[in-house]
Amino acid sequence: MDETSGTLTSSEFVDCLNSKVGVDKNQAEIEHKPDRSISVDEDYNTTLPVEFYPEDLLRCESINGKRRICKLKSMSSRNIVLLRQTGAALCRKGKSWGTTISGIWVDRGCRGIFFIGQPERHSTINANRPHKKQNRKLNNLPLPTKTKDGWVLCAYAGQLCKVPYPTVVRFGRPDAYYERLVQDEIACKKTRFGDPASHQKKACYFRPMIQQPVVANKPTARWEPPVLKQQAGPLRRARFACENRLKAQISEYNPQRVDLSLGLGSFENASLNKQPALELNANTLSGRGVIAENGNYVPLTFICRLNRTHKSALTTSYSLATKELIAADMLQNREKFQHPSERAGLSLSQKQWYISKRQQSWLVHGQPETDDRDFIASCQPGSAKATITFQSTVPTLDTGDSVRLSIAMGDYIEDYIAIGGSRNNEFGVSLPKLELGISDPLWQKLISQSTLQINIGGHQIYNVNLKGSANPVRQFVASCL
């Protein structure tokens, strides 16, 4: 009735009702004879439904004039009302139709569409109350049309929530809800969100666009990408271009500062963690990332198409894993490095650069004949590639997992993707392993720079002193070629 603004006997209401229960309009009876039992008068104290859902409607028909029972799972607190008679035979409550403990019975050729909802689930109109104050709008129901923190109601459970722009939609109650990012519309159902408040009325709310005050004669503040003081490598340059494009895209419907990082985070699904955290294939960058939400981080997957130089992104798309959260302290160093002057224990240790040639060639920075080392690289002679095993890790890294490494040396900074190694080592943890070609700029920087700065997964940061590295690195590279 809300959809058609018509009465129970209007053609608009009849057509709407037929569509909800699947009645062919061409086969429907032209003449509609409503049962007097749904009339609001002194003979019947009937509670009429204001809002109809397809699951609250039942079509029950007496075939060849015989009695038939249309069974229902439960008759507890059912509010059974004949909404429309679909046959020629007159339907009268108690004579040709009625209710039993197992469902609705029809007889004597009575055919009709029945409302079988429960009164507590819908707003109602009592027959003994005056009609002049009837209000069928949604804001008369118990749940608020706007929450205390400003979220706006768009639909009740079972309805379709349409949003005016891409935004986050909450399903549940103001004090218990699940969230999803919605582009235009979504069914307000627990099958789409989950059930945050069992056996309670629920609704969908969307986050409104915050109108920022505009100062006259001054441009509106916009997010600006960070200035890169160092020369970024190709993967890092592509990552920053995609991050900037994603932030601008999200800022169109959320003017607040967008805080996200690509290549970081992890999922509860172990198979997703084994996919590359970042993968640059021609002009497309894909992988995973995180976006700040209520003090923590929500993981996401993304695809980004870049221009030919990889300095700007053309299009981006992403998907949030809204049911998963990453604690902020797991990503406390997302874009940070330890200051070059901070070299823990350097003055107390006797670490040095040296190489060892057995079946493989090894490049090590540590104290000889001990386990005190912070850099290990190995290669097969003639392979033209080497594997660097970093001597620190992140708590969530497992064997085979992909993790982003950021490495800075002087004026050069680049992102790399490492894989978690076996836990069968002296530490009992999975250490990141990076396979790298000997032609990579990293090897030349190990020779010419003074400090190697390492960031593992936005969590662990440490430095390696490059004093005395030049000759051992040259010998190691030569042995790998």
Side-chain angles (χ1 to χ4, degrees), residues 183-205:
Q183 296 296 323
D184 48 14
E185 62 182 39
I186 190 171
C188 189
K189 296 181 179 180
K190 63 182 181 182
T191 55
R192 300 301 305 275
F193 291 85
D195 192 354
S198 182
H199 305 296
Q200 297 186 51
K201 291 184 178 180
K202 291 174 280 290
C204 284
Y205 297 83

Side-chain angles (χ1 to χ4, degrees), residues 1-3 13 47-53 79 115 122-125 134-137:
M1 292 168 67
D2 280 348
E3 294 182 20
F13 174 76
T47 301
L48 297 178
V50 174
E51 300 165 9
F52 302 110
Y53 299 82
N79 179 34
F115 172 78
H122 300 275
S123 58
T124 58
I125 304 171
Q134 292 177 8
N135 189 339
R136 298 177 181 180
K137 293 184 178 180

